[in-house]
Amino acid sequence: MNRFVRVIAIASIAVLAAVPSIGKPLSRILAESGLSPLDMEMMIQAEAVLYSVSQPKTGTVEAWSNPETEAHGTVTIINRNANCIMLQHEAHMKGREKALQPKRKFCKDDKGAWRLPL
């Protein structure tokens, strides 16, 4: 995944995780999410495992864990429709009771690469 796409992916997870925080700068949203940049990278890698198979299947789960921050979670394919899949995250952070549960949709482009739809 190229760097630009990775930055956009990290930003969109942060935005989805903090929906009630509309109007806040991205740096504040990231800080308030409780997720470190490495946590977010692990979430993105877990997503990539799910959509990198030739035929992603609904219900498939990939787990991630960061021993440094004690954050952990799962990513699940909750829907597949034509060339798109919907992923559901469940991210648990140390010291926070409620898990973040952002959803992200990926679709295959004309060249067969998985992308976040614009």
Side-chain angles (χ1 to χ4, degrees), residues 16 81 84-87 103-107 115-117:
L16 288 172
N81 184 341
C84 297
I85 59 173
M86 179 66 74
L87 302 177
K103 294 180 183 176
R104 295 194 345 136
K105 182 178 182 179
F106 288 86
C107 296
R115 307 274 184 212
L116 290 167

Side-chain angles (χ1 to χ4, degrees), residues 49-96:
V49 168
L50 292 175
Y51 62 68
S52 66
V53 298
S54 61
Q55 294 295 320
K57 294 184 180 168
T58 301
T60 305
V61 178
E62 184 66 24
W64 63 273
S65 178
N66 184 350
E68 288 180 21
T69 63
E70 298 182 32
H72 63 280
T74 58
V75 185
T76 306
I77 299 174
I78 60 170
N79 191 13
R80 181 158 190 240
N81 184 341
N83 288 333
C84 297
I85 59 173
M86 179 66 74
L87 302 177
Q88 172 74 59
H89 285 270
E90 182 160 314
H92 301 270
M93 285 80 55
K94 182 179 179 179
R96 205 178 246 206

